[in-house]
Amino acid sequence: MNNIQNPDEIRQFNVRIVIGFASIAATIATVLTVAFVITNEERVRKNLTFGATAISMAAGVAGAAYGLQSLRQNNLQQKENRRIDATRAYIDRWDEPQFAQARITIRELSQTVNSAVSNKSEQLRDRIKQKPTAQQDVTLILNLLEKIALFWDAGLLYEPLLKQFYCPIVLQSWDVLKVYVADRRNEVDVELYKSVEKLYITWSRDP
Protein backbone atom coordinates (compact mmCIF):
# COMPACT_ATOMS: atom_id res chain seq x y z
CA MET A 1 0.00 0.00 0.00
CA ASN A 2 2.87 2.34 0.68
CA ASN A 3 4.84 2.39 -2.55
CA ILE A 4 6.61 5.69 -1.91
CA GLN A 5 9.98 6.39 -3.46
CA ASN A 6 12.88 7.05 -1.15
CA PRO A 7 12.84 10.84 -0.62
CA ASP A 8 16.62 10.93 -0.08
CA GLU A 9 17.25 9.34 -3.47
CA ILE A 10 14.86 11.75 -5.18
CA ARG A 11 16.46 14.72 -3.42
CA GLN A 12 19.97 13.62 -4.43
CA PHE A 13 18.84 13.25 -8.04
CA ASN A 14 17.31 16.74 -8.00
CA VAL A 15 20.48 18.20 -6.49
CA ARG A 16 22.54 16.69 -9.31
CA ILE A 17 20.20 18.20 -11.89
CA VAL A 18 20.30 21.66 -10.32
CA ILE A 19 24.08 21.57 -9.86
CA GLY A 20 24.51 20.47 -13.47
CA PHE A 21 22.25 23.23 -14.72
CA ALA A 22 24.00 25.79 -12.51
CA SER A 23 27.39 24.71 -13.89
CA ILE A 24 26.15 25.08 -17.45
CA ALA A 25 24.61 28.46 -16.64
CA ALA A 26 27.83 29.64 -15.01
CA THR A 27 29.87 28.54 -18.03
CA ILE A 28 27.55 30.31 -20.45
CA ALA A 29 27.50 33.42 -18.27
CA THR A 30 31.31 33.47 -18.22
CA VAL A 31 31.47 33.17 -22.00
CA LEU A 32 28.91 35.95 -22.41
CA THR A 33 30.79 38.18 -19.97
CA VAL A 34 34.08 37.70 -21.80
CA ALA A 35 32.37 38.35 -25.13
CA PHE A 36 30.75 41.47 -23.70
CA VAL A 37 34.13 42.79 -22.56
CA ILE A 38 35.99 42.19 -25.79
CA THR A 39 33.33 43.45 -28.19
CA ASN A 40 32.70 47.09 -28.93
CA GLU A 41 29.64 46.69 -31.12
CA GLU A 42 26.55 48.04 -29.36
CA ARG A 43 24.11 45.61 -30.98
CA VAL A 44 26.19 42.62 -29.95
CA ARG A 45 26.47 44.00 -26.43
CA LYS A 46 22.68 44.29 -26.16
CA ASN A 47 22.26 40.70 -27.31
CA LEU A 48 24.86 39.54 -24.82
CA THR A 49 23.14 41.46 -22.03
CA PHE A 50 19.81 39.88 -22.94
CA GLY A 51 21.39 36.43 -23.01
CA ALA A 52 23.01 36.89 -19.62
CA THR A 53 19.71 38.11 -18.16
CA ALA A 54 17.85 35.12 -19.60
CA ILE A 55 20.42 32.72 -18.17
CA SER A 56 20.16 34.35 -14.74
CA MET A 57 16.37 34.15 -14.80
CA ALA A 58 16.48 30.50 -15.85
CA ALA A 59 18.89 29.71 -13.04
CA GLY A 60 16.58 31.48 -10.58
CA VAL A 61 13.57 29.53 -11.80
CA ALA A 62 15.51 26.26 -11.50
CA GLY A 63 16.50 27.13 -7.95
CA ALA A 64 12.91 27.97 -7.02
CA ALA A 65 11.66 24.74 -8.60
CA TYR A 66 14.20 22.74 -6.64
CA GLY A 67 13.17 24.51 -3.44
CA LEU A 68 9.53 23.62 -4.06
CA GLN A 69 10.41 20.03 -4.88
CA SER A 70 12.51 19.75 -1.71
CA LEU A 71 9.59 21.08 0.33
CA ARG A 72 7.28 18.48 -1.18
CA GLN A 73 9.76 15.70 -0.48
CA ASN A 74 10.17 16.89 3.10
CA ASN A 75 6.39 16.74 3.52
CA LEU A 76 6.37 13.19 2.15
CA GLN A 77 9.15 12.21 4.53
CA GLN A 78 7.30 13.72 7.49
CA LYS A 79 4.15 11.84 6.51
CA GLU A 80 6.12 8.60 6.24
CA ASN A 81 7.72 9.21 9.62
CA ARG A 82 4.28 9.68 11.19
CA ARG A 83 3.17 6.33 9.73
CA ILE A 84 6.26 4.63 11.11
CA ASP A 85 5.76 6.18 14.55
CA ALA A 86 2.10 5.09 14.63
CA THR A 87 3.09 1.57 13.60
CA ARG A 88 5.73 1.34 16.31
CA ALA A 89 3.17 2.49 18.87
CA TYR A 90 0.87 -0.40 17.95
CA ILE A 91 3.77 -2.85 18.04
CA ASP A 92 4.69 -1.65 21.52
CA ARG A 93 1.07 -1.88 22.59
CA TRP A 94 0.90 -5.61 21.87
CA ASP A 95 3.50 -6.19 24.59
CA GLU A 96 1.71 -4.07 27.20
CA PRO A 97 0.77 -5.89 30.45
CA GLN A 98 -2.96 -5.45 29.85
CA PHE A 99 -2.70 -7.82 26.88
CA ALA A 100 -0.65 -10.48 28.67
CA GLN A 101 -3.62 -12.60 29.77
CA ALA A 102 -5.36 -12.11 26.43
CA ARG A 103 -2.30 -13.38 24.56
CA ILE A 104 -2.28 -16.49 26.74
CA THR A 105 -5.97 -17.06 26.05
CA ILE A 106 -5.45 -16.83 22.29
CA ARG A 107 -2.65 -19.40 22.49
CA GLU A 108 -4.85 -21.73 24.55
CA LEU A 109 -7.74 -21.40 22.12
CA SER A 110 -5.37 -22.03 19.22
CA GLN A 111 -4.18 -25.23 20.88
CA THR A 112 -7.80 -26.28 21.42
CA VAL A 113 -8.67 -25.80 17.76
CA ASN A 114 -5.49 -27.41 16.43
CA SER A 115 -5.77 -30.46 18.67
CA ALA A 116 -9.45 -31.06 17.94
CA VAL A 117 -10.10 -33.98 15.62
CA SER A 118 -13.69 -33.00 14.87
CA ASN A 119 -16.27 -30.38 15.83
CA LYS A 120 -13.58 -27.72 16.18
CA SER A 121 -16.14 -24.93 16.27
CA GLU A 122 -18.07 -26.50 19.14
CA GLN A 123 -14.91 -27.20 21.10
CA LEU A 124 -13.86 -23.59 20.68
CA ARG A 125 -17.23 -22.35 21.91
CA ASP A 126 -17.07 -24.70 24.89
CA ARG A 127 -13.54 -23.60 25.76
CA ILE A 128 -14.56 -19.94 25.70
CA LYS A 129 -17.53 -20.69 27.97
CA GLN A 130 -15.38 -22.66 30.40
CA LYS A 131 -12.83 -19.91 30.95
CA PRO A 132 -14.36 -16.95 32.82
CA THR A 133 -12.13 -14.31 31.20
CA ALA A 134 -12.02 -15.86 27.73
CA GLN A 135 -14.69 -13.71 26.12
CA GLN A 136 -13.20 -10.55 27.60
CA ASP A 137 -9.72 -11.55 26.40
CA VAL A 138 -10.95 -12.38 22.91
CA THR A 139 -12.81 -9.08 22.66
CA LEU A 140 -9.72 -7.18 23.81
CA ILE A 141 -7.57 -8.75 21.10
CA LEU A 142 -10.17 -8.36 18.36
CA ASN A 143 -10.78 -4.71 19.25
CA LEU A 144 -7.05 -3.99 19.06
CA LEU A 145 -6.71 -5.74 15.71
CA GLU A 146 -9.78 -3.94 14.39
CA LYS A 147 -8.24 -0.55 15.23
CA ILE A 148 -4.99 -1.56 13.57
CA ALA A 149 -6.87 -2.78 10.49
CA LEU A 150 -8.83 0.47 10.26
CA PHE A 151 -5.64 2.54 10.35
CA TRP A 152 -3.99 0.17 7.87
CA ASP A 153 -6.92 0.46 5.47
CA ALA A 154 -6.74 4.26 5.70
CA GLY A 155 -3.04 4.20 4.79
CA LEU A 156 -2.01 5.64 8.16
CA LEU A 157 0.41 2.85 9.07
CA TYR A 158 3.72 1.74 7.57
CA GLU A 159 2.73 -1.63 6.16
CA PRO A 160 6.16 -3.31 5.76
CA LEU A 161 6.89 -2.88 9.46
CA LEU A 162 3.30 -3.58 10.50
CA LYS A 163 3.13 -6.77 8.46
CA GLN A 164 6.49 -8.02 9.69
CA PHE A 165 5.24 -7.96 13.28
CA TYR A 166 1.47 -8.43 13.08
CA CYS A 167 1.00 -10.78 10.12
CA PRO A 168 1.38 -14.02 12.13
CA ILE A 169 -0.75 -12.55 14.92
CA VAL A 170 -3.57 -11.56 12.57
CA LEU A 171 -3.52 -14.85 10.67
CA GLN A 172 -3.46 -17.02 13.78
CA SER A 173 -6.01 -14.95 15.69
CA TRP A 174 -8.53 -14.86 12.85
CA ASP A 175 -8.13 -18.56 12.05
CA VAL A 176 -8.94 -19.32 15.68
CA LEU A 177 -11.60 -16.70 16.33
CA LYS A 178 -13.55 -16.54 13.07
CA VAL A 179 -16.14 -18.93 14.51
CA TYR A 180 -16.55 -16.69 17.53
CA VAL A 181 -16.82 -13.63 15.27
CA ALA A 182 -19.47 -15.33 13.14
CA ASP A 183 -21.52 -16.03 16.26
CA ARG A 184 -21.17 -12.43 17.43
CA ARG A 185 -22.21 -11.14 14.02
CA ASN A 186 -25.39 -13.16 14.21
CA GLU A 187 -26.08 -11.78 17.67
CA VAL A 188 -24.93 -8.17 17.35
CA ASP A 189 -23.87 -6.78 13.96
CA VAL A 190 -23.09 -8.42 10.62
CA GLU A 191 -20.35 -5.82 10.03
CA LEU A 192 -18.50 -6.66 13.24
CA TYR A 193 -14.71 -6.86 12.77
CA LYS A 194 -14.95 -6.47 9.00
CA SER A 195 -11.67 -4.54 8.87
CA VAL A 196 -9.77 -7.35 10.59
CA GLU A 197 -11.26 -9.82 8.15
CA LYS A 198 -10.17 -7.65 5.21
CA LEU A 199 -6.65 -7.43 6.62
CA TYR A 200 -6.60 -11.19 7.16
CA ILE A 201 -7.70 -11.88 3.57
CA THR A 202 -5.10 -9.47 2.17
CA TRP A 203 -2.19 -10.82 4.18
CA SER A 204 -3.16 -14.48 3.85
CA ARG A 205 -2.66 -14.16 0.09
CA ASP A 206 0.95 -13.09 0.60
CA PRO A 207 2.05 -13.80 4.19
Side-chain angles (χ1 to χ4, degrees):
M1 292 180 63
N2 298 308
N3 297 322
I4 298 178
Q5 289 180 281
N6 188 326
D8 290 333
E9 293 180 357
I10 297 175
R11 192 177 297 111
Q12 290 171 6
F13 178 72
N14 290 337
V15 168
R16 288 195 294 269
I17 292 177
V18 173
I19 290 176
F21 182 82
S23 299
I24 295 173
T27 301
I28 296 175
T30 300
V31 172
L32 292 176
T33 301
V34 172
F36 184 86
V37 170
I38 64 177
T39 185
N40 292 321
E41 189 174 339
E42 186 64 23
R43 181 181 176 184
V44 174
R45 283 188 165 226
K46 288 182 179 180
N47 289 336
L48 292 175
T49 301
F50 174 79
T53 302
I55 290 294
S56 298
M57 290 179 63
V61 170
Y66 170 70
L68 179 60
Q69 182 68 13
S70 296
L71 180 61
R72 289 174 178 171
Q73 295 304 326
N74 286 336
N75 290 337
L76 284 175
Q77 185 63 56
Q78 291 174 3
K79 187 176 180 180
E80 190 80 339
N81 289 340
R82 286 195 295 270
R83 281 198 287 261
I84 292 173
D85 290 342
T87 304
R88 286 174 175 167
Y90 274 117
I91 290 175
D92 292 339
R93 192 171 183 188
W94 178 258
D95 292 323
E96 290 178 358
Q98 62 175 316
F99 291 99
Q101 181 58 50
R103 294 195 301 268
I104 293 173
T105 298
I106 295 299
R107 285 197 296 269
E108 292 175 350
L109 295 177
S110 178
Q111 292 171 0
T112 298
V113 171
N114 292 333
S115 62
V117 178
S118 60
N119 297 324
K120 293 186 177 184
S121 299
E122 288 302 322
Q123 291 195 38
L124 176 67
R125 293 186 182 100
D126 291 341
R127 186 71 183 90
I128 291 176
K129 291 177 182 178
Q130 291 169 6
K131 186 173 182 178
T133 63
Q135 186 166 340
Q136 178 181 342
D137 294 339
V138 167
T139 301
L140 185 65
I141 293 296
L142 286 172
N143 286 347
L144 172 64
L145 297 181
E146 179 72 3
K147 290 179 182 178
I148 291 172
L150 284 169
F151 275 78
W152 161 80
D153 196 32
L156 298 176
L157 297 177
Y158 186 68
E159 184 166 7
L161 181 60
L162 180 72
K163 187 176 181 180
Q164 182 180 359
F165 184 86
Y166 269 104
C167 184
I169 296 172
V170 170
L171 298 187
Q172 180 192 38
S173 298
W174 189 260
D175 280 336
V176 173
L177 300 177
K178 58 188 176 184
V179 173
Y180 172 82
V181 172
D183 291 343
R184 294 294 293 161
R185 284 176 176 173
N186 290 332
E187 297 169 0
V188 181
D189 184 356
V190 294
E191 297 296 317
L192 197 64
Y193 302 122
K194 279 292 187 180
S195 295
V196 183
E197 185 176 23
K198 180 179 179 180
L199 182 59
Y200 169 84
I201 292 172
T202 301
W203 281 356
S204 62
R205 291 170 181 164
D206 182 24

